Amino acid sequence: MTLDVQVRGLLDRALELYRDSARATVWLRRHRARLDEPVRLAVAGPRAAGKTTLVRAIGTDRAVMVDTPPLDAAEPDTVERTCMDADAVLYLVPRPAQVDPRLLRAMQDHAIARAAPVNALAVLSRADELGGGRVDALISARQVARRHRRATELGGLCQDVLPVAGLLADAGRTLREDEVGAFAVLARVPRAELDPHLLSADRFAGPAVPGGLPAEVRAGLIGRFGLFGVRLAVTLVRQGTGGAEALAAELVRRSGLAELVAGIDRWFVAPRPVLKARSALIALEIVLRNEPSPAAVSLAAELERVVAGAHEFRELRELARLRAGRAGLPDEPRAEALRLLGDEGTAGTDRLGGAGDPATVLDAVRRWRAWAQSPLLDAGGRRVAITVIRSCEAMLG
């Protein structure tokens, strides 16, 4: 029986049990209905994290965006409301120095959330500033994200850490012809003459900038693209990227937006039923805790059993560890583990690379039982092996 089916059954039992409690009934019906809705995604972070800009760039066709005020760990009520109203969270961090794992820990300040920390992505939302606005800033940002993903506490609190230049992504998606023309004017200025004026936003907005663009046009470019975006756009035009469509596509590509959207699809959209079930289990536990009843004892026990046996949560956590390189597996078994845990799809044929017969599954079980006992694996690698075995056994029914 899938986790989704089990959770629906628990909520139906709870609705019957609490039929005389108006508050509990409204709460439970709301979360029962949400099981069939798109993922609710909160975009949260401190002030000046670029939340509004990034939401525009991502769009709203993948998830229901949940509005949040600026967050910090000193606002527990705000953090709790965010967790209750969303199935997943994008935690925006403008700069690496502002990474605060306490906020993510606060979002998981619930027994079920701690047991299944599978609903958060950390986003370095102003990645273009990490390299001082250089055109290769995103390369530096990806290296920083990789370090956080692998070697810091943050990696254990979220599914992934991804960099994005949110301002550039938003501007690239809405690039105008007049802006393309302005970049073309700047690109015709010899580099030795223009580069000193691209050292800072103030210099670029100041007087005597070669090319003849009015100050208000230059200010508009800085406001829309940032210094990184202006430098990058001018460089691309000089290198032969012509026309609004081609330039827009290249700016968006270099912003990191595609990788972020792919991360949202992988960790939030594809496992929507699992994240929805997680939210519903938390909601049910809150009712049982706030309105205890002798008649609810068996329901509470069943809730604990479902949470403890939710293999889907373990799969998502091990997938995150594998993709981040924290699982301690050699490359060959790592690739198979990713597939068997559902990285390429959760259908049996997806997990088995196109095959679907029991013999193939049994072969995989034998291989991974051997890996689970191998002295070559550390504790993390053995944990992955055990999870893979359970996934294979589930395919056998």
Side-chain angles (χ1 to χ4, degrees):
M1 187 183 301
T2 66
L3 179 62
D4 175 71
V5 171
Q6 293 180 80
V7 169
R8 289 174 189 271
L10 287 174
L11 291 179
D12 289 342
R13 284 181 58 189
L15 281 166
E16 175 63 23
L17 183 65
Y18 286 96
R19 61 185 180 276
D20 295 328
S21 170
R23 185 174 66 170
T25 298
V26 169
W27 176 259
L28 291 167
R29 282 178 177 167
R30 176 188 174 197
H31 284 275
R32 180 67 166 79
R34 275 176 49 175
L35 288 172
D36 298 310
E37 296 174 357
V39 168
R40 297 176 63 82
L41 177 60
V43 183
R47 289 171 178 81
K51 181 182 69 173
T52 302
T53 300
L54 195 58
V55 168
R56 281 199 307 266
I58 294 171
T60 58
D61 56 337
R62 285 175 170 79
V64 175
M65 295 296 182
V66 177
D67 189 31
T68 65
L71 299 178
D72 60 56
E75 299 171 337
D77 291 343
T78 302
V79 173
E80 184 175 1
R81 285 196 302 273
T82 297
C83 296
M84 288 299 99
D85 203 32
D87 304 305
V89 178
L90 285 184
Y91 170 41
L92 305 192
V93 185
R95 299 169 186 85
Q98 293 176 275
V99 170
D100 186 358
R102 291 177 300 172
L103 178 59
L104 286 172
R105 283 200 300 270
M107 289 182 178
Q108 296 165 6
D109 191 19
H110 184 282
I112 295 175
R114 287 193 297 273
V118 295
N119 73 325
L121 285 178
V123 181
L124 303 179
S125 57
R126 297 171 70 168
D128 50 301
E129 298 179 2
L130 295 184
R134 299 192 311 269
V135 293
D136 62 350
L138 263 292
I139 296 176
S140 299
R142 289 188 179 99
Q143 293 171 345
V144 172
R146 191 178 302 115
R147 287 199 299 272
H148 279 288
R149 189 184 302 133
R150 288 185 173 182
T152 70
E153 182 184 10
L154 188 63
L157 294 170
C158 59
Q159 295 298 86
D160 207 346
V161 183
L162 298 168
V164 66
L167 193 64
L168 179 63
D170 182 41
R173 282 170 56 93
T174 57
L175 181 67
R176 304 190 304 264
E177 288 288 351
D178 63 298
E179 293 168 334
V180 177
F183 289 133
V185 169
L186 293 170
R188 288 194 290 270
V189 178
R191 183 170 298 168
E193 296 180 24
L194 183 62
D195 282 0
H197 297 276
L198 292 176
L199 292 175
S200 71
D202 288 340
R203 288 194 182 190
F204 184 67
V209 176
L213 288 180
E216 61 270 19
V217 172
R218 286 180 275 119
L221 293 178
I222 285 291
R224 284 255 295 152
F225 295 84
L227 190 61
F228 167 73
V230 171
R231 288 173 173 170
L232 179 59
V234 171
T235 298
L236 290 171
V237 173
R238 282 175 175 159
Q239 292 174 347
T241 303
E245 185 175 350
L247 183 58
E250 191 62 17
L251 291 174
V252 171
R253 186 184 74 81
R254 297 197 183 209
S255 72
L257 180 64
E259 290 87 347
L260 176 58
V261 169
I264 292 171
D265 287 345
R266 172 181 293 114
W267 297 118
F268 298 157
V269 177
R272 181 192 67 83
V274 178
L275 296 182
K276 288 288 183 182
R278 178 185 184 274
S279 296
L281 290 170
I282 292 173
L284 176 56
E285 193 279 335
I286 289 172
V287 170
L288 293 172
R289 175 163 33 93
N290 290 339
E291 299 190 26
S293 165
V297 171
S298 64
L299 181 60
E302 182 66 9
L303 171 64
E304 290 184 11
R305 187 195 66 77
V306 169
V307 172
H311 181 67
E312 292 90 338
F313 295 152
R314 288 190 287 274
E315 283 190 329
L316 288 177
R317 285 307 299 150
E318 297 309 321
L319 277 172
R321 293 178 64 247
L322 281 165
R323 293 188 64 85
R326 301 196 311 269
L329 280 180
D331 288 343
E332 185 176 348
R334 176 181 176 275
E336 184 184 30
L338 283 167
R339 191 181 71 248
L340 289 171
L341 290 174
D343 193 51
E344 298 176 13
T346 56
T349 52
D350 295 328
R351 293 175 185 260
L352 295 169
D357 56 288
T360 303
V361 181
L362 289 171
D363 284 344
V365 170
R366 282 192 288 269
R367 280 195 304 277
W368 283 95
R369 282 178 177 164
W371 274 115
Q373 299 172 10
S374 171
L376 298 176
L377 299 189
D378 59 14
R382 286 192 290 274
R383 186 163 62 245
V384 172
I386 292 169
T387 305
V388 169
I389 292 168
R390 178 66 186 86
S391 295
C392 292
E393 290 172 342
M395 285 187 274
L396 292 171

